[in-house]
Amino acid sequence: MSSYFDRYIQSADQLETHCNCSIHVSYALRGYFDLALKADDQDMYSKPMLWIGIYIAVASLFCILPMVADLIHGFRNRMLWFPCKYFTMNAASLTVIAVATKLPMDLNNSMRGNVDQSAKLGSMAFTCTMMANLLPSLATMDSKELLTNIIALGVLEITLVVNVCIQITTGVVSGEYLPASHFVVSRIVLDPYDFYRPIAIIYVGMLLMMLIIHTCSSLAILKSKQILESKYQLGHQKDQELLQQEERLTVEKLKQHVSNYWTMAGTGSPQFMTACSATSTAAGVICALSTVLHILIMLFVCSDVTDYKSDYKWSTLVILITQFVGVVLGSIAPISRCFASLSFKLSVKWIWNHITVFKVESYWTQKISDWKQSSLPFTFRSRKCKNAIHKLKVLILDFCIGVQKGVVVVCKVIGLVPISIVICVFCCYKWSKAMSKSLGIVLGKRSEHQEQDENLSPYVLQVQDDMEISERTLKGITKSVNRLIKKAEKQRPNNLMKLLERSRGFLGVERYDSLHVLPLLGEGFLDCWSLPLVTLTTIAVSLPNLEKDIVDNLLKSVSEGLVYVKLVEESFNATEDYVISQKAAKTLWLEVDVYQKWLGNRLQKLVPQVSTAQQILEWFRDIAKNMVMEVEGTDIGGRNDDSMCRSISANSMYRITETILLSYHANIEEVSEEELFEQLSSMISDILAACLTNLPQVIARKCHTSVIEKREASVHAAAQLLGETMQIINSLEDRELPSLNPGDMAFIDKWHAYFQHSLP
């Protein structure tokens, strides 16, 4: 296809040749050559715009997917305040949002089509929805992250608002190209020229309000987290005092302990606190209004989906549809937060106080007040200049405090909308219940045998002291943790349980290593639970004449057990001496379990002449001794982590095999593979049982973490662990434990030393 310039030249030549045009007309025609050339350039430059539109649609999809993921996560976990787990505010998400909102940023591209104008406004509605979804994620940040992200969000949103205002002024955002027949409502013909402009102005106001809400919330979050932290520490101290009074933690006591921390972590969650705030309610209402407005645009404006005339071509329709889906799905979470937060604290007293007194709590302005009272970060030579700057700072911060209070009051006024709806629904429910009682129908009859919920109210954390969580919410918290424990109970390690049933005591902890066997390594390397377990399993797996199912079942059982052994070691054995042994065990187990090898040697195919139990033990002992001596013979500077792990693993193998050989004395030749396997399995089960007696303390420790943002995940992991190991804890509860100090129970070397000195 020829260009505009070529066609124009041909037309001009034909006019000059066939029409005998005068010289003046000829010069005039050739004077428009530049315009034809510019038209060609514009056509060439606009070719990539179609792909840019597709790029915008893909970026919008990358924003929609995490919002939907948060929505599904909230429904699955019955968190109707929908915490931000996937769609959070960070550099990556803000970059994708900037790409998704390119249409409103485009200042000079002619958007004459119906679909073009709707897509531009739809991008603004989509931005409102995303900002409403991102609000709770502010609570997961520290002060530095908050400052960085709010500044980045402010730059993005202010740029967007300024660009839209310029387009409103220049007419890029307008309805002047639309036929008036599209806007007949109740026989009143709307002026098409003024249709899109007021909608764009409304969206600009919503975006500015959203930005103000985010800034206002970020100023309150820091102080709110401090309040929640102080209350959490009081609850934690109270629960620890109760735990110290218990001699042994049973399953029922652990359930109550987990429930207490579940309540503190849930109600004291920064995201939960933000979702229940007045700013979050206002953001939900604004999001609902922008969604309704966008739906109306789609219903009454987009009568012709093929009316796209911009350089983006049909990609504007793809953007419009994609972002419309994002607006509809993304608005569910912010709107639900409005009503969910009200249901958490709904009471007649709270509603009356909210309606009659728009009180601005101190935590909203405390951060600005701290800045006001702080000294200037730089010095001045002139005292007058210093006083003038200080007074200016006080005036500015006083103004900011006033603005902050005003924003909070406005948000509370906006919050009257969902409050009114909730009151109407509540009154209708009460009326229907009263009517049903008069008709002899009992609604919501409670079972007489329903268990009474434990009193969790002392563990409820709230920023406002005068706000009470409803009884229904506390029951929901109890049900949620019980539901999680029951769900985890179905995932209990059955193979591990079968192996533990073979244990009748803890003698294996004493028998796996003898004091008569001198260590090959020097001091400084402490034994851990996992290393002897892996070493004993390695010997058992290497026995060649056993049935494959028996060996596989042992591998599965030990694999399940090492998961919990690792938790015990991470909770208690965290010093450097223990960590290096744990690393050696982890590396060795990967080699044994996956590759069926021990330090490069294939198991069950050691060497042809090694076939009896005695020969296998002696082969492992000799190879391990040579490996340790080889590593010990190298210079310290030539040793690395891999060589140290090999040396520790080999030393463990040497000590265990030599101990087993000494235990049989002269009868070692008569020992069969089955007898050796039984002895190894017995020691493995005894060591596992001894280690897993620490599970109650692991669960209790896992409930608490010092990082406020990680408490929910930590308690969730504790409840999951409790559900999986309830049967194990019950099975070990009646066993007599050694008379060790409570702080020594988590260390295998302490157990081993106790049995070595106390048993004959």
Side-chain angles (χ1 to χ4, degrees), residues 280-300:
S280 180
T281 303
V285 174
I286 294 172
C287 179
L289 292 176
S290 67
T291 303
V292 171
L293 188 57
H294 190 44
I295 292 174
L296 292 176
I297 292 174
M298 296 292 290
L299 290 176
F300 295 107

Side-chain angles (χ1 to χ4, degrees), residues 160 172 267 319 412 524:
L160 175 62
V172 176
T267 58
I319 296 171
K412 290 190 174 185

Side-chain angles (χ1 to χ4, degrees), residues 28-47:
L29 289 173
R30 295 183 181 276
Y32 291 101
F33 284 174
D34 289 341
L35 295 177
L37 188 59
K38 288 181 180 179
D40 281 343
D41 292 341
Q42 183 64 32
D43 186 55
M44 180 181 63
Y45 296 152
S46 63
K47 286 181 180 179

Side-chain angles (χ1 to χ4, degrees), residues 61-229:
L61 188 63
F62 277 109
C63 293
I64 295 170
L65 291 177
M67 285 194 291
V68 174
D70 283 338
L71 195 65
I72 296 172
H73 173 258
F75 279 123
R76 287 186 61 183
N77 295 278
R78 292 175 172 81
M79 295 180 174
L80 298 183
W81 49 277
F82 298 102
C84 296
K85 182 178 181 181
Y86 303 101
F87 191 54
T88 58
M89 189 183 298
N90 50 48
S93 61
L94 289 174
T95 303
V96 178
I97 291 172
V99 176
T101 57
K102 186 189 181 302
L103 281 185
M105 295 282 196
D106 199 339
L107 289 173
N108 53 5
N109 200 308
S110 177
M111 308 289 285
R112 298 184 300 166
N114 192 4
V115 174
D116 302 327
Q117 293 281 316
S118 299
K120 189 181 284 283
L121 294 180
S123 294
M124 298 174 70
F126 188 53
T127 307
C128 286
T129 303
M130 289 189 291
M131 292 183 70
N133 277 273
L134 286 171
L135 184 59
S137 69
L138 295 176
T140 63
M141 307 173 191
D142 56 26
S143 57
K144 186 177 180 180
E145 290 175 322
L146 266 176
L147 178 62
T148 304
N149 285 296
I150 286 297
I151 291 176
L153 180 66
V155 171
L156 175 63
E157 296 305 317
I158 291 174
T159 304
L160 175 62
V161 167
V162 170
N163 284 6
V164 172
C165 290
I166 293 173
Q167 294 171 67
I168 293 172
T169 304
T170 58
V172 176
V173 175
S174 69
E176 59 180 319
Y177 305 105
L178 303 179
S181 58
H182 288 180
F183 306 99
V184 179
V185 181
S186 302
R187 298 183 180 181
I188 300 176
V189 180
L190 302 179
D191 184 1
Y193 186 78
D194 292 331
F195 183 78
Y196 281 122
R197 286 186 176 179
I199 296 177
I201 293 171
I202 292 172
Y203 277 133
V204 165
M206 290 181 177
L207 288 172
L208 288 174
M209 189 61 190
M210 281 290 192
L211 181 58
I212 293 172
I213 284 174
H214 278 69
T215 307
C216 179
S217 299
S218 63
L219 290 171
I221 282 172
L222 298 175
K223 183 60 180 179
S224 301
K225 289 167 75 171
Q226 293 177 2
I227 297 173
L228 292 175
E229 179 65 25

